[in-house]
Amino acid sequence: QVQVVESGGGLVQPGGALRLSCAASGSIFSIGDMGWYRQAPGNQRELVARITRGGSTNYADSVKGRFTSSRDNAKNTVYLQMNSLKPEDTAVYYCKAVATRAYWGQGTQVTVSS
């Protein structure tokens, strides 16, 4: 079993920045890829960023150049640094850890508004 907990969401003005954290616990040796997803009201959940155990990343086109994901395997934690935030980035952000199956966190709300 793997437990995944996100933190770091909040309210920020357009153009601002936030850093999300995702801490994994449990059978962490089995975790491979981890990812950040988001879901806005009325929309499907979408991939924001994916990071492999080795640190390779890929991003959704909508966040390229603004968001950066990193990973600290010693702390079993991944991060999502979000800069130049836009109102359309408003969503619940979820972390996913892939082991023998996918494990999801409960999500953290990010609201970008003036």
Side-chain angles (χ1 to χ4, degrees):
Q1 288 284 354
V2 174
Q3 294 77 45
V4 177
V5 179
E6 306 96 336
S7 61
L11 172 64
V12 63
Q13 292 187 341
L18 281 176
R19 187 173 86 150
L20 305 183
S21 299
C22 170
S25 60
S27 300
I28 55 176
F29 61 89
S30 63
I31 297 174
D33 291 359
M34 296 185 73
W36 288 98
Y37 292 72
R38 67 186 180 188
Q39 187 167 19
N43 290 357
Q44 291 188 338
R45 193 171 296 189
E46 62 177 2
L47 174 69
V48 175
R50 182 186 292 117
I51 184 165
T52 68
R53 189 169 183 83
S56 298
T57 54
N58 63 285
Y59 300 93
D61 287 344
S62 58
V63 307
K64 281 181 181 176
R66 300 188 298 122
F67 291 11
T68 303
S69 185
S70 59
R71 182 166 180 166
D72 186 338
N73 288 328
K75 295 182 178 180
N76 308 310
T77 300
V78 295
Y79 305 95
L80 185 67
Q81 177 66 43
M82 305 186 294
N83 298 328
S84 302
L85 282 161
K86 305 176 181 179
E88 51 263 44
D89 294 319
T90 296
V92 178
Y93 283 70
Y94 297 91
C95 179
K96 183 176 84 169
V98 180
T100 54
R101 67 171 181 88
Y103 294 87
W104 292 90
Q106 297 278 29
T108 184
Q109 176 71 46
V110 171
T111 302
V112 185
S113 175
S114 56

